[in-house]
Amino acid sequence: VGVGIGMLGLVRAIVGAWLVLLGRSLYYLLTGALMLWSGWLLIRGRMGGGWLYLAIVVASTARPISSAASIAA
């Protein structure tokens, strides 16, 4: 599981870095780096990696909901 999350994080961070170079959001770069760190922690058997991944999922879910709420208001 840790390897998979880490690999997805690496890809997301690389794409995020490209988007930053194009002047877009830091979101993908930051979440990719955090997923990479989460994967590393999980590979090392640290429970914090799972909690970090959960925080990323919650934040990623809350982001579009808050965006939609601000558009609707």
Side-chain angles (χ1 to χ4, degrees):
V1 172
V3 172
I5 291 173
M7 289 176 65
L8 289 173
L10 179 61
V11 170
R12 191 174 191 135
I14 291 169
V15 171
W18 178 252
L19 290 172
V20 168
L21 289 174
L22 294 175
R24 305 296 300 221
S25 172
L26 284 170
Y27 172 76
Y28 295 101
L29 177 61
L30 293 176
T31 56
L34 289 173
M35 285 176 68
L36 188 58
W37 186 24
S38 172
W40 174 252
L41 290 173
L42 287 169
I43 290 168
R44 298 196 53 174
R46 308 280 180 158
M47 192 65 170
W51 288 111
L52 178 57
Y53 184 73
L54 178 64
I56 295 165
V57 170
V58 169
S60 295
T61 303
R63 184 174 182 247
I65 292 171
S66 68
S67 252
S70 68
I71 292 171

